[in-house]
Amino acid sequence: MTVKSTARARKKAAPGVPDNLQAGKDAPAELIQLLTPEGERVEHPDYPLAIEADELRSLYRDLVLVRRFDAEATALQRQGELGLWASLLGQEAAQVGSGRAMREKDYAFPTYREHGVAWCRGVDPLNLLGMFRGVNHGGWDPNEKNFHLYTIVIGSQTLHATGYAMGITKDSAEDAVIAYFGDGASSQGDVNEAFTFASVYNAPVVFFCQNNQWAISEPTTNQTKIPLYRRASGFGFPGVRVDGNDVLACLAVTRWALDRARNGGGPVLIEAFTYRMGAHTTSDDPTRYRAAEETESWRAKDPISRLKTYLEREGLADEDFFAAIDAESETLGLRVREGVRSMPDPDPTLIFDHVYAEPHALVTEERAEYVAYAESFEGGE
Amino acid sequence: MSKLTMSKAINEGLRNCLETDPKTLIMGEDVGKLGGVFRVTDGLQKDFGEDRVIDTPLAESGIVGTAIGLALRGYRPIVEIQFDGFVYPAFDQIVTQLAKMHARALGHVKMPITIRIPYAGGIGAVEHHSESHEAYFAHTAGLRVVTPSNPDDAYWMLRQSVESDDPVIFLEPKARYWDKAEISAAPALDLHTAKVVRSGTDLTLLAYGPMVKVCLEVAAAAEEDGRHLEVVDLRSLSPVDFDTLEASVKRTGRAIVVHEAPVFMGMGAELAARLTERCFYHLEAPVLRVGGYHAPYPPSRVEEQYLPDLDRVLDAVDRALAY
């Protein structure tokens, strides 16, 4: 009887865990949280976080600017300036928290939705928009900010991250790697192979799964019968579920996991429990497969408003601060709009550039044929 | 049947399969409630249930691998791969297992699996959403490979593919999903028969899938210059109906193969080689090829320059006729 009631009490204390993930399982999922949806600061014995007001304000700034950038990109897609956009709306805390936990020499391997992580790494937001506009397939040097190119094929990058981490070990370096992926990707063979390699080679890689509840139209229950973070134990490393809408918890847990990895502790799986507030991409229509009430219930857990509430209540930021962030947000929006609209179409010979690192006779020949063909039109039409 | 888009025609074809054969199943990502990202399976889960129209986990190798198991158990799975570029995780299962199973079992097991893949470009998509990989599949013995160019063929070829006891790679030209046409009451042709879609005397354009429409436009434009081009829609890429192709090329004496896939080691190479063998003394010019370049499919803002179009095919027509 005692056990039963304890379990029930613990279940109550784990907000946001759907019943269908808990049903029939012996232990409810524990959700690491340092800032409640109501903006209350709570402590967790395993993940202490000493944080100054400056850093809190700076996290808030990142969250707001990342959301603004994302909103601009969605609008630019609607205006025809971008072919597609994959919005991060709702996942700002998971991305900013984990992104800010990284050190300069750490390396991130993103999916195609990690705009917030890119921001934290210092990648120019305009660089992210090239592939969505259709002028390139990447558009930045991954080694400049240790932020790899976006990967569209689901889960592939988790193996690249693991291999990169294996290299760190071989170099006896103290860097660490984050592999980003989603709840859908957890079903892919590549992701499970990455878990195996990381475990066997004790690679310094943190698997950061943003469980945003939906793989396009499929709920997480189509991918797993247990909470995703528990998958880690079968591979031989720890798994943690963190409130993905709590930037402080994401920061603390990721910092812990990265430090553990860089000190020889091996991989960790972090499941950031969050929600994709928008469509999968601008091509998607979520009204076909999920209820508006569900989305609304997650709106109450918004990652930005809870931090704002906390900052205001504790007197850590004043009106001037919020006004300054709003102004900066406007400036960013303007820069993104103008930047995208003035982004030139590439020269078609781009098709042949960089196919190989060394000259390749067939590409050279086809390029020459193309140029001659294109020139045959000039002045002729 | 009334006029249908290709997307709707395939939807109707799938519905017919589910209605007529209780062993048929649809498996894929987002094929249920969403009805597929192109709405090809729209409404099917609602009408046939989650047991027959299955939203699978996000794992292509898993989808094809379990379809093989279901086929061993007597089912007839119809698999959807969401986009061309996402088939590669399943490539191992398709090439090493699915394609060889019947031969390895000395004919004792059949693999009646249809794998539907939206392929080819022209819709302004991001990376991995516009590729033409038919040559990989056609190169693999044990797979049948077909691709319709219009709604009527899409409907009937889908039904014929599902009825086949062999694995069929069913390539759907996504840029043609919204083209509309009348669906005939009965199939005019066998699944693997090519079709002369326009008669001509001067040159034969050989195309399939998305490029048939382009070649018909080329033929119409050439007609204005007094050039009578024949257009043949291959429809099937493995096997290829070489008899129909040979007859056409012997009539016209010239042939150009047009496809979106890279020319190097593409379908055009095989067609040119075989037609040269079969029609050597009838040919007035070498068999030419127009297609993609030996480069990754480019970003969408330059895909127009990458894809064969009216001008590029007409340029090849000029060259062929100049011999």
Side-chain angles (χ1 to χ4, degrees), chain B:
Chain B
M1 220 178 286
S2 57
K3 275 192 164 189
L4 298 180
T5 61
M6 181 183 285
S7 162
K8 185 64 181 163
I10 299 169
N11 178 273
E12 288 294 327
L14 291 168
R15 177 176 291 279
N16 182 279
C17 294
L18 290 167
E19 276 167 355
T20 53
D21 182 352
K23 290 294 187 183
T24 52
L25 301 168
I26 291 176
M27 304 169 68
E29 297 156 5
D30 306 293
V31 298
K33 248 185 185 172
L34 184 65
V37 295
F38 289 107
R39 308 294 183 261
V40 172
T41 55
D42 194 22
L44 297 178
Q45 189 184 64
K46 186 170 149 279
D47 294 344
F48 295 93
E50 294 181 7
D51 280 348
R52 300 204 50 208
V53 181
I54 305 165
D55 268 332
T56 66
L58 205 173
E60 293 79 9
S61 180
I63 296 170
V64 174
T66 55
I68 291 171
L70 283 157
L72 289 169
R73 182 72 192 178
Y75 286 89
R76 194 170 282 268
I78 308 166
V79 163
E80 175 176 304
I81 298 293
Q82 197 160 75
F83 279 96
D84 36 75
F86 301 158
V87 75
Y88 299 106
F91 199 62
D92 172 49
Q93 287 286 348
I94 294 172
V95 170
T96 70
Q97 304 300 317
L98 178 61
K100 298 182 196 322
M101 200 69 85
H102 186 258
R104 288 174 58 223
L106 302 177
H108 291 291
V109 297
K110 294 187 171 61
M111 284 289 124
I113 298 174
T114 301
I115 301 181
R116 299 178 35 246
I117 314 176
Y119 84 119
I123 63 161
V126 292
E127 201 183 9
H128 312 298
H129 291 64
S130 305
E131 295 166 17
S132 297
H133 42 27
E134 60 270 21
Y136 295 135
F137 299 112
H139 193 65
T140 301
L143 303 175
R144 297 176 182 272
V145 185
V146 302
T147 176
S149 67
N150 61 78
D152 190 32
D153 277 352
Y155 177 83
W156 285 110
M157 288 170 71
L158 187 272
R159 286 189 53 182
Q160 290 165 331
S161 296
V162 174
E163 281 163 14
S164 171
D165 279 341
D166 285 320
V168 179
I169 307 294
F170 189 87
L171 299 169
E172 301 172 3
K174 63 175 87 74
R176 303 284 173 257
Y177 269 143
W178 303 280
D179 288 3
K180 259 190 169 180
E182 197 82 33
I183 309 299
S184 30
L189 298 169
D190 167 79
L191 179 60
H192 298 295
T193 303
K195 184 179 175 186
V196 177
V197 290
R198 181 186 174 110
S199 297
T201 50
D202 297 340
L203 183 149
T204 300
L205 293 174
L206 300 167
Y208 51 86
M211 281 294 125
V212 172
K213 189 176 181 179
V214 171
C215 286
L216 286 169
E217 287 164 6
V218 168
E223 195 70 38
E224 291 175 18
D225 293 335
R227 293 163 165 182
H228 311 296
L229 307 189
E230 182 147 303
V231 180
V232 180
D233 180 352
L234 266 69
R235 299 182 356 120
S236 175
L237 308 182
S238 178
V240 172
D241 173 12
F242 279 107
D243 290 346
T244 298
L245 273 54
E246 177 184 339
S248 171
V249 175
K250 281 184 172 171
R251 275 197 301 276
T252 62
R254 290 177 170 85
I256 299 171
V257 187
V258 183
H259 53 57
E260 289 192 21
V263 165
F264 185 68
M265 299 297 288
M267 283 298 298
E270 181 62 33
L271 296 172
R274 297 251 176 192
L275 288 169
T276 303
E277 287 169 23
R278 286 183 175 227
C279 312
F280 188 69
Y281 291 107
H282 294 79
L283 284 171
E284 305 285 341
V287 179
L288 299 184
R289 292 168 291 162
V290 181
Y293 300 107
H294 190 68
Y297 193 91
S300 60
R301 294 252 167 178
V302 283
E303 73 178 331
E304 264 183 49
Q305 284 81 11
Y306 175 89
L307 292 172
D309 63 2
L310 188 80
D311 286 331
R312 272 179 67 200
V313 181
L314 281 171
D315 178 69
V317 168
D318 286 345
R319 283 187 281 127
L321 290 172
Y323 277 90

Side-chain angles (χ1 to χ4, degrees), chain A residues 215-233:
Chain A
I216 309 188
S217 72
E218 298 194 22
T220 306
T221 46
N222 276 29
Q223 317 291 343
T224 185
K225 292 292 182 192
I226 59 162
L228 285 172
Y229 75 96
R230 289 206 187 129
R231 293 251 181 106
S233 72

Side-chain angles (χ1 to χ4, degrees), chain A residues 99-111:
Chain A
R100 289 282 296 267
M102 297 177 78
R103 293 188 190 167
E104 194 185 346
K105 289 178 76 182
D106 293 344
Y107 212 112
F109 286 78
T111 71

Side-chain angles (χ1 to χ4, degrees), chain A residues 85-248:
Chain A
W85 181 244
S87 169
L88 63 37
L89 188 64
Q91 300 175 223
E92 296 88 350
Q95 297 195 10
V96 168
S98 60
R100 289 282 296 267
M102 297 177 78
R103 293 188 190 167
E104 194 185 346
K105 289 178 76 182
D106 293 344
Y107 212 112
F109 286 78
T111 71
Y112 44 81
R113 206 189 295 280
E114 265 64 76
H115 323 312
V117 182
W119 171 267
C120 295
R121 298 303 293 168
V123 176
D124 185 336
L126 280 171
N127 281 345
L128 303 176
L129 297 172
M131 64 177 273
F132 292 98
R133 186 169 166 87
V135 302
N136 58 44
H137 286 321
W140 61 89
D141 171 4
N143 293 319
E144 197 187 328
K145 304 290 184 187
N146 283 7
F147 184 77
H148 190 63
L149 299 174
Y150 278 177
T151 300
I152 291 178
V153 177
I154 304 300
S156 302
Q157 75 281 0
T158 56
L159 279 166
H160 312 156
T162 302
Y164 190 94
M166 288 160 63
I168 290 173
T169 307
K170 288 186 188 304
D171 294 342
S172 304
E174 287 191 354
D175 310 321
V177 179
I178 303 190
Y180 288 92
F181 62 106
D183 42 294
S186 71
S187 296
Q188 283 285 14
D190 276 8
V191 173
N192 290 273
E193 291 174 26
F195 289 175
T196 300
F197 274 67
S199 177
V200 167
Y201 294 107
N202 204 44
V205 54
V206 173
F207 294 106
F208 195 91
C209 175
Q210 287 168 82
N211 177 357
N212 69 12
Q213 314 301 326
W214 292 95
I216 309 188
S217 72
E218 298 194 22
T220 306
T221 46
N222 276 29
Q223 317 291 343
T224 185
K225 292 292 182 192
I226 59 162
L228 285 172
Y229 75 96
R230 289 206 187 129
R231 293 251 181 106
S233 72
F235 289 91
F237 53 89
V240 185
R241 178 180 275 188
V242 59
D243 181 345
N245 287 14
D246 172 355
V247 70
L248 301 185

